[in-house]
Amino acid sequence: MKFVKRARTLVAVLTLGVGACTGGTAGGSVVYSPPPPLALVALVDPSSGQMPAQLQQLEDVIRASASPNEAVVVMMLAPGSRSYAVRPGDSLSLIASANGLTLSEVEAANPQLGPVSGRNWSLIHSGERVTLPDRSAPSPLLLVSKAPAGPPPPALVRLPQQPNNPTDYQKAQYQHAVTAGNATNAARIEAWRASARQALVPWQSQVTAQLESKAGSANSVDGPSGGQAVAASIGAGLVTLAGLSGRRMLLLLGGGGVVPAPLAPRSMAGVTVVVANVSDPAAAAAWTAAARNAGAAGVSALDPALTQLQLAQVVNS
């Protein structure tokens, strides 16, 4: 969600000559390549009145920052879903029919195969995993949304190459050109970031309003969500993330108090995991170990106090 921090921006500017930009333009400029957008799957607990507070936490995260083309999928913890590996010749309609489901039910359970990832529902690939929902239970999906693309990235000045065996005068000219180019590029990137932030405000407002509506109409489920619901929901969340591009993050706003079941090796490869609202230090340690053993790119376990203070920063960093 968060745009490049000022320090990261400076690093990007300083390394433009070695691949921080893609594509050339006329006049010796290059096009700035922004950092990957966030692809966020958030799991919330519908039991015992937990969901409204957790959705409020998610609202705060989205309100704090957003990135162009960001994808947000919000799910309730629910047992019963399973996954299916696509085979050659499969289509979503064939998969649905073979498993006693309707096409609309399968599409609803797999937002990553549709517009949120820029795809056509009719195109699936062998080896992809598809979530098969439990039709006897309500759909766990609360929200699926994608931020607009925002303004086009700016053209930046291409930094000069350092001359071979330069004279003192040439060294001074080179340093002057680099300093001037970095200043110009930093200003253009900052202007783009400001424009992008402004362009995303309506989307942020729309998503937070939808979350507020969901929180206001939430119906509690009797009893806490147990390990089966947490495990099934994590599996569905990882299937969804596998089909989304960008910086992939699994955010457990609910369910962190349940000691996680063993996760398959590499099942979280490339995914950053954030487990929020974890009161028990033993559960936090168990989640950290489980996510690392599953190959997570990073893992943070936050107690309730840190969740309130740092969740937006952790997700958006």
Side-chain angles (χ1 to χ4, degrees), residues 186-205:
R188 291 180 182 179
I189 291 172
E190 184 57 36
W192 173 80
R193 291 175 61 201
S195 179
R197 283 194 298 267
Q198 188 63 34
L200 295 179
V201 168
W203 177 81
Q204 290 170 287
S205 299

Side-chain angles (χ1 to χ4, degrees), residues 57-120:
Q57 291 170 341
L58 184 56
E59 287 178 43
D60 293 341
V61 169
I62 292 171
R63 191 178 288 112
S65 189
S67 58
N69 291 312
E70 177 178 315
V72 176
V73 178
V74 186
M75 302 179 180
M76 292 185 293
L77 295 173
S81 64
R82 53 196 176 90
S83 68
Y84 169 84
V86 176
R87 301 172 183 172
D90 274 342
S91 66
L92 286 184
S93 59
L94 289 175
I95 293 171
S97 177
N99 289 276
L101 299 165
T102 66
L103 176 59
S104 60
E105 287 172 330
V106 173
E107 288 179 346
N110 293 274
Q112 75 281 3
L113 301 178
V116 73
S117 60
R119 291 179 56 171
N120 187 308

Side-chain angles (χ1 to χ4, degrees), residues 81-306:
S81 64
R82 53 196 176 90
S83 68
Y84 169 84
V86 176
R87 301 172 183 172
D90 274 342
S91 66
L92 286 184
S93 59
L94 289 175
I95 293 171
S97 177
N99 289 276
L101 299 165
T102 66
L103 176 59
S104 60
E105 287 172 330
V106 173
E107 288 179 346
N110 293 274
Q112 75 281 3
L113 301 178
V116 73
S117 60
R119 291 179 56 171
N120 187 308
W121 293 109
S122 63
L123 181 63
I124 57 176
H125 306 288
S126 180
E128 285 187 311
R129 302 202 74 85
V130 174
T131 295
L132 302 177
D134 179 2
R135 74 176 320 179
S136 65
S139 171
L141 278 176
L142 289 176
L143 182 143
V144 177
S145 187
K146 185 175 183 179
L156 304 180
V157 175
R158 188 185 298 275
L159 299 183
Q161 296 292 323
Q162 185 170 8
N164 294 323
N165 301 317
T167 64
D168 290 343
Y169 177 73
Q170 288 174 323
K171 286 181 181 178
Q173 280 190 314
Y174 168 75
Q175 292 297 335
H176 176 76
V178 168
T179 299
N182 280 333
T184 297
N185 290 342
R188 291 180 182 179
I189 291 172
E190 184 57 36
W192 173 80
R193 291 175 61 201
S195 179
R197 283 194 298 267
Q198 188 63 34
L200 295 179
V201 168
W203 177 81
Q204 290 170 287
S205 299
Q206 178 188 36
V207 172
T208 54
Q210 289 175 318
L211 292 173
E212 287 178 1
S213 176
K214 299 291 185 182
S217 61
N219 295 316
S220 296
V221 176
D222 292 335
S225 296
Q228 182 183 0
V230 173
S233 300
I234 288 175
L238 292 175
V239 168
T240 298
L241 282 172
L244 299 176
S245 60
R247 183 170 62 91
R248 296 180 292 156
M249 178 175 290
L250 181 66
L251 170 60
L252 278 75
L253 289 165
V258 176
V259 176
L263 300 167
R266 305 296 297 167
S267 60
M268 289 185 166
V271 175
T272 298
V273 180
V274 178
V275 187
N277 302 306
V278 189
S279 300
D280 183 2
W287 277 108
T288 300
R292 286 176 177 167
N293 291 337
V299 55
S300 299
L302 307 176
D303 63 28
L306 287 178

Side-chain angles (χ1 to χ4, degrees), residues 12-13 15-33 153-159 185 188-189:
V13 172
T15 57
L16 290 177
V18 290
C21 300
T22 58
T25 61
S29 62
V30 289
V31 177
Y32 173 61
S33 181
L156 304 180
V157 175
R158 188 185 298 275
L159 299 183
N185 290 342
R188 291 180 182 179
I189 291 172

